[in-house]
Amino acid sequence: MPRFNYGGQALIEGVMMRGRDAIAVALRHPDGRIVFEHERLDAGRVHGHRYAKWPFVRGLVILYETLIVGTRWLIRSAGLQAEDDGVEIGKGGIALMLGITAVLGIGLFFILPLVIATFTASNIENDFAQHFVEGLVRVVIFIGYLALISRTPDIARVFQYHGAEHMAIHTLEANQPLRPEYVRQHPTAHPRCGTEFLVVVILLSILAFSLVGKQPPVIMVASRILLIPVIAAVGYELLRLGARHRSNPIVRVVMWPGILVQMITTK
């Protein structure tokens, strides 16, 4: 198995694969050609710094690079597909989309569950019960959101590329040639998937927010936002630990929900 944990991301009609210090992108042009690109990561100030590999920091670095680099290439891949329609996405449009996406994501997956739990479980004296309801609502919203968008043809196509990306990484880790006859032997789910990371984050949020307890509304909302980096950092380390010890039956049971959710995102 390679000593480095390779990763990737599905794009619009393509994939982005992440190596140690660079990414490689392959996109299918509307005319049928495969367009290849690559980009160095170690040229950036964040990736090249020594603290980028520290535990509980490396997860935030990868998350930052995924949001910045991954989103940029996701939008570029969409722009490539829109070339035939004469549509061009400018930098201003990209920044606006990123801002709207961030606000909607925090509101939908962190603030809305808090509001629903506050109104539905406010009479329950046990603080943990309210946070459990909040976490349950977050799970329902998350699964419902994935199930809903997976029914759209464009997202379903992206999910197929997502599964192919995982199969390619499995092939790399098995030290097999990256050829279709070998890649097809492997499953579409992967223990280091971003989907599984989100499942771990949701479960961790139940514990983290329960420690905050019942506070004034402003503090409750602020804690949901400010604790996101902390939960993400811990979640990434747990994901790495779970992937490294996936042969352990207890670890397999704990991480099994993430594999189940991947049945949607890699279908």
Side-chain angles (χ1 to χ4, degrees):
M1 180 179 291
R3 296 179 62 184
F4 179 76
N5 290 330
Y6 291 92
Q9 175 183 326
L11 303 174
I12 307 297
E13 289 297 321
V15 291
M16 180 186 77
M17 305 302 289
R18 178 192 175 95
R20 189 184 306 274
D21 296 312
I23 61 168
V25 179
L27 302 172
R28 187 178 300 280
H29 194 276
D31 64 10
R33 292 181 292 119
I34 305 297
V35 179
F36 298 98
E37 295 286 350
H38 70 276
E39 177 181 326
R40 299 292 301 182
L41 290 172
D42 52 1
R45 294 181 179 179
V46 175
H47 183 90
H49 203 283
R50 64 178 184 275
Y51 65 67
K53 296 180 174 60
W54 292 356
F56 301 104
V57 175
R58 55 193 174 191
L60 295 179
V61 172
I62 291 178
L63 181 61
Y64 166 80
E65 292 177 344
T66 300
L67 290 174
I68 301 301
V69 180
T71 302
R72 172 155 44 83
W73 277 105
L74 182 62
I75 294 174
R76 285 187 183 181
S77 67
L80 181 66
Q81 298 304 312
E83 279 186 359
D84 284 352
D85 300 328
V87 178
E88 184 176 353
I89 305 175
K91 292 183 178 180
I94 293 175
L96 180 61
M97 283 189 290
L98 287 175
I100 294 175
T101 301
V103 172
L104 289 178
I106 293 174
L108 182 62
F109 296 111
F110 287 91
I111 306 303
L112 181 59
L114 172 63
V115 173
I116 294 176
T118 300
F119 281 100
T120 58
S122 58
N123 294 328
I124 301 177
E125 295 183 0
N126 190 332
D127 287 354
F128 183 79
Q130 180 173 334
H131 296 297
F132 179 79
V133 172
E134 180 185 346
L136 184 62
V137 172
R138 187 171 293 114
V139 170
V140 171
I141 292 176
F142 177 61
I143 300 297
Y145 172 79
L146 292 178
L148 181 63
I149 65 173
S150 69
R151 299 180 66 85
T152 63
D154 290 341
I155 299 300
R157 182 75 168 166
V158 172
F159 284 174
Q160 290 176 340
Y161 277 102
H162 187 201
E165 171 235 318
H166 285 179
M167 295 166 74
I169 293 177
H170 277 302
T171 308
L172 265 179
E173 293 174 341
N175 290 319
Q176 295 176 324
L178 279 172
R179 297 204 300 266
E181 61 268 28
Y182 292 97
V183 176
R184 290 193 183 101
Q185 300 173 10
H186 298 283
T188 58
H190 194 281
R192 293 195 319 276
C193 173
T195 304
E196 189 156 328
F197 168 73
L198 292 176
V199 172
V200 172
V201 165
I202 289 175
L203 296 177
L204 279 176
S205 68
I206 299 176
L207 175 61
F209 297 151
S210 66
L211 297 177
V212 175
K214 288 185 178 180
Q215 303 291 341
V218 174
I219 295 180
M220 296 279 279
V221 172
S223 68
R224 270 51 180 177
I225 299 174
L226 296 177
L227 283 176
I228 290 176
V230 178
I231 295 172
V234 175
Y236 178 78
E237 297 301 324
L238 290 178
L239 188 69
R240 284 175 58 97
L241 185 66
R244 191 179 303 117
H245 300 283
R246 192 52 65 103
S247 59
N248 186 299
I250 298 178
V251 173
R252 284 204 304 269
V253 170
V254 172
M255 294 297 187
W256 184 242
I259 298 295
L260 292 179
V261 177
Q262 288 185 62
M263 294 176 66
I264 300 176
T265 62
T266 64
K267 186 175 181 182

